Amino acid sequence: VNGIEIYSMKIDSKVTSRFAHNVITSRAVNRGNVSKEVFFDVELPKTAFITNFSMTIDGVTYPGTIKEKEAAKKQYEKAVSRGQTAGLVKASGRKTEKFTVSVNIKAASKVTFKLTYEELLKRQFGKYKMFIKVKPKQLVKDFEIEVDIFEPQGITELEAEGTFITNELQDTIKKTFSGKKGHISFKPTLDQQRTCANCSQSVLDGDFTVRYDVKRTTPDNLQIVNGYFVHFFAPTNLPKLSKNVIFVLDTSGSMYGREMEQTKEALLKILDDVKEDDFFNFVLFDSKISTWKETLIKATPENLDEARKFVQHISAQGMTNLHGGLMRGIDILNAAHEENLVPRRSASIIIMLTDGQPNVGVSNTQEIEEAVKKAIDGRYTLYNLGFGSAVDYGFLERMALENKGLARRIYPDSDAALQLQGFYDEVSNPMLIDVELNYPENEISDLTTNSFKHFYDGSEIVVAGRFIDSNQNHLSVDVRGEGANDAVSYTTQQGAEQTAQAFQEQQYIFGEYIERLWAYLTIEQLLEKRITATGEEKENLTAQALALSLMYKFVTPLTSMVVTKPEENDNEEGIADKPTEGIDIFTIPGMCVYAKLLLIVKLISIKPSFITKLYGETSPLYHTYASQPRWYTSVDGDPHFIISVPQKKDAICFNINENPGMILNLVNDPVTGITVNGQLIGDKRASSDAKIQNSYFGKLGIANKHLDFKLTVTPEMITIQNGDEKTGFTWLDSVTLQQAGLNLIINRKKNLVLSMGSGVSFVVVLHQVWKKHPLHQDFLGLYTLKSDKLSEQTHGLLGQFFRPIDFTILEIHPGSDPKKPDATMIVKNNELTVTRGWQKDYRGDPKHGVDIPCWFVHDNGAGLIDGVHTDYIVSSLF
């Protein structure tokens, strides 16, 4: 297409104990005689997490990096502004999200894209299902899908199909399974891919679906590998529980027409599937509330006939009293249980369908959530179905999750009735209620969810956890639940021999899969709990999910992957770091970060070997500073970031090399809403002797978006903005200001202290120079106190170091300066060359400072900071 030929596309899936590891590799070549843009465009299941991506151009590989969302977004925006290649994931379609990346390649050049994603396959209607979106958009010489499945329990059935499979293609799907192994391959030739004999269009466009199930000689299965376990629970041949279903239906005017007709069509089909032992009723809400019957009604043939007539006559009009409809449904269920109208052992379910937002009666969604949660009180499960795009889906999802259910979006397409019916089918056969899976507390930590309101026929409950003793290889589990006739309990034990026997073919599976399955499930559940959490609980859940996402390299709602092709830089050898003045920053207690930021302009023609000498006492450039005030410049008083590492009783320092006028993000906490940015200023005029322009912080902006508060500080003015109101002070003022959530103290001609509700404080120090100095201007320093009060999502040039960091020093050897040896540092899985030196800490002695020994990381902190330093350049102070 357009001179770009995709000559190979391979999709390789390895499934081990329901956990799928998928790799998509696409190879393309530019057949044209000019540079062309190549697109790698794939759709993945929404339930999957991307774990890796790379592109290789003419033998050079550019990997993607997974990092916190804000940092990734900044790196992405920066890359785009420079015209570089960057890729991001976006939602697309009902079940998929799209990953797109493009790159310009020269004539005759080749590019290889490789994307890896993982997911836990869910069991529905008695089978595990994995679907692969196939859409190469052109004929591909070497196209192949290969799926390998390993299930220690043994495979009982395996099937594969494609929505695009024609009769001619049917025989190209090869399928075998035996014992624990299953294999599927699909490798159509070029001719088989054509839509017709001489066509150049590809027939490959749709879903390729794999379904399978495992052997179940016992109700559950335990697997233990390398200190982690997974427990699959799916008993069979249980008697079905009767269920009590309340359908709470939106019949407001917005449902008029096609939506109402599709809803009625779905309800009529659902009534065909209702079992005679079930009880049900309909609640309709528009401006008013109405019901089919006053109480729950048994699903006798006569009652079902009457219900069908009722459904056929439902019409849509009026407004949306969602609160009234739900509360009436809950009241009917309460009365049925209190009056023993329904069996004691039965599953009670509310299915609510709406296409809009509440606008009459109680319309505040938070009040509705609270009222519904209080009324249900954990006794029933609430499922919320949102029809179309006008619903407040977040509200529906929170309310469902708070009541042990889930929300589902119903797409307003021609198959909407099938979507509704399909959802009902998933929850129509409860087998157990109040299922608890109990594990020895003194043996297990970090357990995923282990209590479930309902177990449905054809599904599976999955629990994973980590052993406190990573060498443990045995486990005893007790499972309890309420069945149709009586309480049921199962006890399972797994020992070392059974584990070893189940995994005789360990080489067949990808490594650490149970640990990754545990991480996947834990993140998924933390993110779900986070939806309904608030305040500190939400912060903690967010921090845990983010930490696991970064540790296991999963792209989740808290992380992003960005892939950037580095710029070509012809002047790389001609850049040297030049120490200048800047910013003092530190944090207490615990993790201590104090920094003096080095800001430079490129200095051409100095070789890299000379760089370390610039920091030495004998540096020939040092004497250009001789006239500067001694209290902020002295030998080796270079303004660097200094990161204290208390457990090592040592420190790391690094420079940031940027021009005056730039704004840098120093602290950004999306949870507390606090940001700190700093804008650089230069000297009054360029120093011709040094051939370099010094940079300082001449303006700081501290904001708290939750308080709608902004503080702008310059060496002349301090401006406070609350909403639209502005108040100004000068450094000649002494001020104490208190308002909701914050305190501000200005100490005349010295500093200001800003404390916010979470406990975090910022101190801005005024550095004044001699007014008649021919070169230098006043500038600012910043200190951060109690940074542990910020959330674990905090980022920025400084904020990322508010969390502990560890490093290892190897191979200390002489450097280019005899007083400053070089070494190899291992930090964040990177191997860096560092130089021993010292920097000034002005905490105790703001005039002269104290020398602090540290390991200096070169090249703008590359390998130490997340991403590259230019990721932290922002467009405005707020």
Side-chain angles (χ1 to χ4, degrees), residues 778-820:
D778 297 349
F779 65 98
L780 302 170
L782 173 74
Y783 296 76
T784 306
L785 309 179
K786 297 187 180 176
S787 64
D788 57 323
K789 299 296 184 184
L790 294 171
S791 82
E792 290 197 25
Q793 285 193 62
T794 303
H795 212 265
L797 272 170
L798 295 167
Q800 64 187 290
F801 298 111
F802 293 166
R803 296 184 293 276
I805 186 171
D806 198 7
F807 67 89
T808 304
I809 292 292
L810 309 169
E811 303 166 11
I812 298 176
H813 55 275
S816 51
D817 181 339
K819 294 184 180 179
K820 298 184 175 182

Tab-separated table of all heavy atoms in Angstrom, residues 778-820:
chain	number	residue	atom	x	y	z
A	778	ASP	N	18.866	38.795	40.820
A	778	ASP	CA	18.278	38.028	41.927
A	778	ASP	C	17.595	36.771	41.371
A	778	ASP	O	17.091	36.768	40.249
A	778	ASP	CB	17.226	38.872	42.648
A	778	ASP	CG	17.828	40.111	43.295
A	778	ASP	OD1	19.065	40.202	43.371
A	778	ASP	OD2	17.047	41.002	43.705
A	779	PHE	N	17.578	35.715	42.190
A	779	PHE	CA	16.900	34.498	41.756
A	779	PHE	C	16.314	33.791	42.971
A	779	PHE	O	16.417	34.282	44.103
A	779	PHE	CB	17.842	33.577	40.966
A	779	PHE	CG	19.001	33.030	41.774
A	779	PHE	CD1	18.938	31.757	42.326
A	779	PHE	CD2	20.154	33.780	41.966
A	779	PHE	CE1	19.987	31.241	43.060
A	779	PHE	CE2	21.220	33.270	42.700
A	779	PHE	CZ	21.139	32.004	43.251
A	780	LEU	N	15.682	32.635	42.741
A	780	LEU	CA	14.933	31.951	43.799
A	780	LEU	C	15.460	30.549	44.043
A	780	LEU	O	15.973	29.893	43.127
A	780	LEU	CB	13.451	31.849	43.413
A	780	LEU	CG	12.730	33.166	43.129
A	780	LEU	CD1	11.358	32.884	42.540
A	780	LEU	CD2	12.610	34.001	44.401
A	781	GLY	N	15.319	30.087	45.274
A	781	GLY	CA	15.565	28.684	45.615
A	781	GLY	C	14.287	28.076	46.160
A	781	GLY	O	13.418	28.787	46.663
A	782	LEU	N	14.164	26.761	46.054
A	782	LEU	CA	12.951	26.079	46.524
A	782	LEU	C	13.318	24.899	47.412
A	782	LEU	O	14.208	24.123	47.080
A	782	LEU	CB	12.128	25.571	45.341
A	782	LEU	CG	10.918	24.707	45.697
A	782	LEU	CD1	9.793	25.557	46.254
A	782	LEU	CD2	10.434	23.930	44.486
A	783	TYR	N	12.625	24.784	48.534
A	783	TYR	CA	12.785	23.636	49.428
A	783	TYR	C	11.434	22.951	49.581
A	783	TYR	O	10.417	23.638	49.733
A	783	TYR	CB	13.260	24.095	50.809
A	783	TYR	CG	14.621	24.737	50.838
A	783	TYR	CD1	14.796	26.045	50.378
A	783	TYR	CD2	15.719	24.058	51.325
A	783	TYR	CE1	16.041	26.645	50.403
A	783	TYR	CE2	16.960	24.654	51.365
A	783	TYR	CZ	17.124	25.949	50.900
A	783	TYR	OH	18.363	26.519	50.930
A	784	THR	N	11.427	21.636	49.575
A	784	THR	CA	10.188	20.883	49.798
A	784	THR	C	10.285	20.164	51.138
A	784	THR	O	11.223	19.392	51.349
A	784	THR	CB	9.979	19.841	48.684
A	784	THR	OG1	10.035	20.507	47.430
A	784	THR	CG2	8.633	19.168	48.832
A	785	LEU	N	9.330	20.421	52.028
A	785	LEU	CA	9.314	19.792	53.349
A	785	LEU	C	8.148	18.817	53.426
A	785	LEU	O	7.084	19.065	52.861
A	785	LEU	CB	9.162	20.844	54.443
A	785	LEU	CG	10.127	22.034	54.386
A	785	LEU	CD1	9.819	22.994	55.513
A	785	LEU	CD2	11.561	21.564	54.477
A	786	LYS	N	8.351	17.715	54.138
A	786	LYS	CA	7.296	16.699	54.337
A	786	LYS	C	6.746	16.196	53.000
A	786	LYS	O	5.537	16.106	52.801
A	786	LYS	CB	6.163	17.238	55.218
A	786	LYS	CG	6.611	17.582	56.628
A	786	LYS	CD	5.436	17.947	57.501
A	786	LYS	CE	5.898	18.288	58.918
A	786	LYS	NZ	4.798	18.732	59.781
A	787	SER	N	7.660	15.871	52.085
A	787	SER	CA	7.209	15.393	50.765
A	787	SER	C	6.522	14.039	50.867
A	787	SER	O	5.837	13.622	49.938
A	787	SER	CB	8.397	15.289	49.810
A	787	SER	OG	9.307	14.312	50.278
A	788	ASP	N	6.687	13.341	52.006
A	788	ASP	CA	5.996	12.057	52.176
A	788	ASP	C	4.487	12.252	52.273
A	788	ASP	O	3.722	11.289	52.193
A	788	ASP	CB	6.518	11.324	53.427
A	788	ASP	CG	6.377	12.161	54.694
A	788	ASP	OD1	6.577	13.394	54.612
A	788	ASP	OD2	6.087	11.595	55.753
A	789	LYS	N	4.034	13.508	52.435
A	789	LYS	CA	2.597	13.773	52.477
A	789	LYS	C	1.988	13.841	51.076
A	789	LYS	O	0.776	13.903	50.921
A	789	LYS	CB	2.311	15.099	53.205
A	789	LYS	CG	2.794	15.114	54.658
A	789	LYS	CD	2.068	14.099	55.508
A	789	LYS	CE	2.498	14.193	56.973
A	789	LYS	NZ	1.869	13.153	57.800
A	790	LEU	N	2.841	13.864	50.064
A	790	LEU	CA	2.346	13.775	48.694
A	790	LEU	C	2.134	12.309	48.351
A	790	LEU	O	2.699	11.418	48.984
A	790	LEU	CB	3.351	14.411	47.724
A	790	LEU	CG	3.547	15.921	47.883
A	790	LEU	CD1	4.709	16.405	47.033
A	790	LEU	CD2	2.286	16.672	47.521
A	791	SER	N	1.348	12.035	47.320
A	791	SER	CA	1.010	10.644	46.997
A	791	SER	C	2.174	9.960	46.290
A	791	SER	O	3.110	10.611	45.815
A	791	SER	CB	-0.225	10.589	46.093
A	791	SER	OG	0.138	10.815	44.744
A	792	GLU	N	2.086	8.635	46.177
A	792	GLU	CA	3.141	7.880	45.514
A	792	GLU	C	3.111	8.064	44.001
A	792	GLU	O	3.990	7.589	43.298
A	792	GLU	CB	3.032	6.386	45.875
A	792	GLU	CG	3.394	6.127	47.326
A	792	GLU	CD	3.702	4.653	47.581
A	792	GLU	OE1	4.086	3.962	46.627
A	792	GLU	OE2	3.551	4.226	48.733
A	793	GLN	N	2.091	8.753	43.502
A	793	GLN	CA	2.055	9.057	42.068
A	793	GLN	C	2.830	10.318	41.731
A	793	GLN	O	2.927	10.704	40.579
A	793	GLN	CB	0.605	9.249	41.597
A	793	GLN	CG	-0.181	7.965	41.469
A	793	GLN	CD	-1.466	8.222	40.714
A	793	GLN	OE1	-1.475	8.618	39.568
A	793	GLN	NE2	-2.583	7.990	41.367
A	794	THR	N	3.379	10.979	42.758
A	794	THR	CA	4.077	12.244	42.530
A	794	THR	C	5.240	12.048	41.570
A	794	THR	O	6.008	11.092	41.674
A	794	THR	CB	4.587	12.806	43.864
A	794	THR	OG1	3.474	12.956	44.741
A	794	THR	CG2	5.254	14.160	43.660
A	795	HIS	N	5.345	12.991	40.620
A	795	HIS	CA	6.418	12.897	39.640
A	795	HIS	C	7.005	14.288	39.435
A	795	HIS	O	6.813	15.180	40.247
A	795	HIS	CB	5.915	12.280	38.326
A	795	HIS	CG	6.962	11.483	37.630
A	795	HIS	ND1	7.751	12.006	36.640
A	795	HIS	CD2	7.382	10.220	37.823
A	795	HIS	CE1	8.607	11.094	36.233
A	795	HIS	NE2	8.397	9.996	36.924
A	796	GLY	N	7.743	14.478	38.347
A	796	GLY	CA	8.452	15.721	38.105
A	796	GLY	C	9.937	15.507	38.326
A	796	GLY	O	10.374	14.469	38.836
A	797	LEU	N	10.740	16.508	37.939
A	797	LEU	CA	12.191	16.369	38.080
A	797	LEU	C	12.594	16.084	39.523
A	797	LEU	O	13.554	15.361	39.774
A	797	LEU	CB	12.882	17.645	37.594
A	797	LEU	CG	13.210	17.683	36.100
A	797	LEU	CD1	13.665	19.066	35.689
A	797	LEU	CD2	14.258	16.637	35.745
A	798	LEU	N	11.866	16.662	40.481
A	798	LEU	CA	12.141	16.402	41.891
A	798	LEU	C	11.202	15.364	42.465
A	798	LEU	O	11.607	14.486	43.212
A	798	LEU	CB	11.997	17.701	42.691
A	798	LEU	CG	13.031	18.753	42.321
A	798	LEU	CD1	12.650	20.082	42.907
A	798	LEU	CD2	14.391	18.318	42.794
A	799	GLY	N	9.929	15.476	42.090
A	799	GLY	CA	8.905	14.631	42.706
A	799	GLY	C	9.150	13.154	42.557
A	799	GLY	O	8.811	12.361	43.436
A	800	GLN	N	9.766	12.730	41.441
A	800	GLN	CA	9.998	11.300	41.239
A	800	GLN	C	10.952	10.722	42.272
A	800	GLN	O	10.967	9.515	42.490
A	800	GLN	CB	10.554	11.048	39.835
A	800	GLN	CG	11.913	11.663	39.572
A	800	GLN	CD	12.323	11.533	38.119
A	800	GLN	OE1	12.606	10.433	37.653
A	800	GLN	NE2	12.347	12.645	37.411
A	801	PHE	N	11.753	11.596	42.934
A	801	PHE	CA	12.718	11.106	43.923
A	801	PHE	C	12.198	11.199	45.345
A	801	PHE	O	12.941	10.981	46.298
A	801	PHE	CB	14.043	11.862	43.787
A	801	PHE	CG	14.690	11.662	42.449
A	801	PHE	CD1	14.784	12.694	41.545
A	801	PHE	CD2	15.167	10.408	42.084
A	801	PHE	CE1	15.370	12.503	40.306
A	801	PHE	CE2	15.747	10.205	40.841
A	801	PHE	CZ	15.853	11.260	39.948
A	802	PHE	N	10.910	11.541	45.506
A	802	PHE	CA	10.329	11.516	46.842
A	802	PHE	C	10.114	10.077	47.308
A	802	PHE	O	9.832	9.827	48.463
A	802	PHE	CB	9.002	12.275	46.881
A	802	PHE	CG	9.147	13.763	46.652
A	802	PHE	CD1	8.034	14.540	46.372
A	802	PHE	CD2	10.383	14.386	46.710
A	802	PHE	CE1	8.148	15.912	46.154
A	802	PHE	CE2	10.512	15.751	46.492
A	802	PHE	CZ	9.395	16.518	46.213
A	803	ARG	N	10.195	9.121	46.369
A	803	ARG	CA	10.119	7.699	46.728
A	803	ARG	C	11.538	7.160	46.820
A	803	ARG	O	12.432	7.605	46.098
A	803	ARG	CB	9.319	6.925	45.675
A	803	ARG	CG	7.876	7.359	45.584
A	803	ARG	CD	7.082	6.502	44.611
A	803	ARG	NE	7.500	6.665	43.232
A	803	ARG	CZ	7.060	7.647	42.451
A	803	ARG	NH1	6.200	8.538	42.910
A	803	ARG	NH2	7.469	7.743	41.197
A	804	PRO	N	11.774	6.151	47.672
A	804	PRO	CA	13.137	5.643	47.842
A	804	PRO	C	13.740	5.136	46.537
A	804	PRO	O	13.056	4.621	45.663
A	804	PRO	CB	12.950	4.490	48.848
A	804	PRO	CG	11.695	4.821	49.564
A	804	PRO	CD	10.816	5.509	48.572
A	805	ILE	N	15.051	5.296	46.427
A	805	ILE	CA	15.790	4.818	45.264
A	805	ILE	C	17.030	4.093	45.767
A	805	ILE	O	17.595	4.457	46.795
A	805	ILE	CB	16.160	5.999	44.327
A	805	ILE	CG1	16.788	5.487	43.041
A	805	ILE	CG2	17.054	7.009	45.016
A	805	ILE	CD1	16.966	6.569	41.987
A	806	ASP	N	17.435	3.054	45.084
A	806	ASP	CA	18.611	2.290	45.504
A	806	ASP	C	19.602	2.241	44.348
A	806	ASP	O	19.231	2.386	43.184
A	806	ASP	CB	18.201	0.868	45.915
A	806	ASP	CG	19.287	0.204	46.761
A	806	ASP	OD1	20.266	0.885	47.119
A	806	ASP	OD2	19.140	-0.995	47.058
A	807	PHE	N	20.882	2.057	44.673
A	807	PHE	CA	21.886	1.943	43.621
A	807	PHE	C	23.062	1.105	44.124
A	807	PHE	O	23.226	0.880	45.326
A	807	PHE	CB	22.365	3.327	43.165
A	807	PHE	CG	23.158	4.091	44.216
A	807	PHE	CD1	24.532	3.942	44.320
A	807	PHE	CD2	22.513	4.966	45.085
A	807	PHE	CE1	25.250	4.646	45.276
A	807	PHE	CE2	23.227	5.672	46.047
A	807	PHE	CZ	24.606	5.503	46.138
A	808	THR	N	23.864	0.635	43.192
A	808	THR	CA	25.073	-0.133	43.512
A	808	THR	C	26.239	0.491	42.765
A	808	THR	O	26.122	0.848	41.588
A	808	THR	CB	24.919	-1.605	43.076
A	808	THR	OG1	23.749	-2.139	43.709
A	808	THR	CG2	26.130	-2.426	43.485
A	809	ILE	N	27.383	0.640	43.457
A	809	ILE	CA	28.595	1.194	42.834
A	809	ILE	C	29.607	0.072	42.615
A	809	ILE	O	29.902	-0.703	43.528
A	809	ILE	CB	29.213	2.298	43.724
A	809	ILE	CG1	28.292	3.512	43.766
A	809	ILE	CG2	30.607	2.695	43.229
A	809	ILE	CD1	28.173	4.269	42.460
A	810	LEU	N	30.116	-0.025	41.380
A	810	LEU	CA	31.101	-1.042	41.013
A	810	LEU	C	32.309	-0.373	40.351
A	810	LEU	O	32.209	0.733	39.814
A	810	LEU	CB	30.491	-2.045	40.020
A	810	LEU	CG	29.152	-2.689	40.387
A	810	LEU	CD1	28.591	-3.417	39.180
A	810	LEU	CD2	29.333	-3.647	41.547
A	811	GLU	N	33.416	-1.047	40.372
A	811	GLU	CA	34.592	-0.702	39.559
A	811	GLU	C	34.998	0.768	39.690
A	811	GLU	O	35.037	1.519	38.710
A	811	GLU	CB	34.313	-0.994	38.073
A	811	GLU	CG	33.922	-2.425	37.805
A	811	GLU	CD	33.339	-2.588	36.404
A	811	GLU	OE1	33.436	-1.652	35.595
A	811	GLU	OE2	32.786	-3.654	36.133
A	812	ILE	N	35.314	1.209	40.902
A	812	ILE	CA	35.829	2.574	41.072
A	812	ILE	C	37.230	2.641	40.468
A	812	ILE	O	38.088	1.794	40.735
A	812	ILE	CB	35.857	2.957	42.568
A	812	ILE	CG1	34.423	2.922	43.134
A	812	ILE	CG2	36.483	4.330	42.767
A	812	ILE	CD1	34.332	3.187	44.619
A	813	HIS	N	37.482	3.648	39.623
A	813	HIS	CA	38.780	3.766	38.941
A	813	HIS	C	39.101	5.238	38.719
A	813	HIS	O	38.204	6.096	38.760
A	813	HIS	CB	38.759	3.013	37.608
A	813	HIS	CG	37.655	3.438	36.698
A	813	HIS	ND1	36.378	2.919	36.783
A	813	HIS	CD2	37.615	4.357	35.695
A	813	HIS	CE1	35.601	3.478	35.874
A	813	HIS	NE2	36.331	4.356	35.198
A	814	PRO	N	40.364	5.585	38.474
A	814	PRO	CA	40.741	6.994	38.300
A	814	PRO	C	39.982	7.639	37.149
A	814	PRO	O	39.777	7.025	36.107
A	814	PRO	CB	42.242	6.926	37.999
A	814	PRO	CG	42.679	5.607	38.516
A	814	PRO	CD	41.515	4.683	38.375
A	815	GLY	N	39.550	8.888	37.359
A	815	GLY	CA	38.872	9.630	36.296
A	815	GLY	C	39.801	10.658	35.695
A	815	GLY	O	41.022	10.665	35.959
A	816	SER	N	39.245	11.555	34.903
A	816	SER	CA	40.087	12.565	34.254
A	816	SER	C	40.573	13.609	35.251
A	816	SER	O	41.541	14.315	34.993
A	816	SER	CB	39.316	13.230	33.116
A	816	SER	OG	38.054	13.665	33.584
A	817	ASP	N	39.892	13.737	36.396
A	817	ASP	CA	40.353	14.605	37.478
A	817	ASP	C	40.863	13.697	38.593
A	817	ASP	O	40.114	12.879	39.124
A	817	ASP	CB	39.181	15.460	37.976
A	817	ASP	CG	39.600	16.419	39.085
A	817	ASP	OD1	40.628	16.177	39.743
A	817	ASP	OD2	38.879	17.422	39.285
A	818	PRO	N	42.144	13.805	38.964
A	818	PRO	CA	42.719	12.897	39.991
A	818	PRO	C	41.932	12.907	41.300
A	818	PRO	O	41.918	11.922	42.034
A	818	PRO	CB	44.136	13.444	40.205
A	818	PRO	CG	44.392	14.402	39.095
A	818	PRO	CD	43.093	14.803	38.485
A	819	LYS	N	41.283	14.066	41.613
A	819	LYS	CA	40.548	14.151	42.879
A	819	LYS	C	39.162	13.532	42.791
A	819	LYS	O	38.469	13.397	43.790
A	819	LYS	CB	40.409	15.623	43.296
A	819	LYS	CG	41.729	16.284	43.649
A	819	LYS	CD	41.475	17.695	44.131
A	819	LYS	CE	42.799	18.375	44.494
A	819	LYS	NZ	42.581	19.751	44.938
A	820	LYS	N	38.714	13.191	41.561
A	820	LYS	CA	37.341	12.736	41.369
A	820	LYS	C	37.316	11.443	40.568
A	820	LYS	O	37.272	11.471	39.336
A	820	LYS	CB	36.528	13.822	40.657
A	820	LYS	CG	36.431	15.092	41.465
A	820	LYS	CD	35.540	16.110	40.787
A	820	LYS	CE	35.371	17.318	41.695
A	820	LYS	NZ	34.488	18.332	41.116
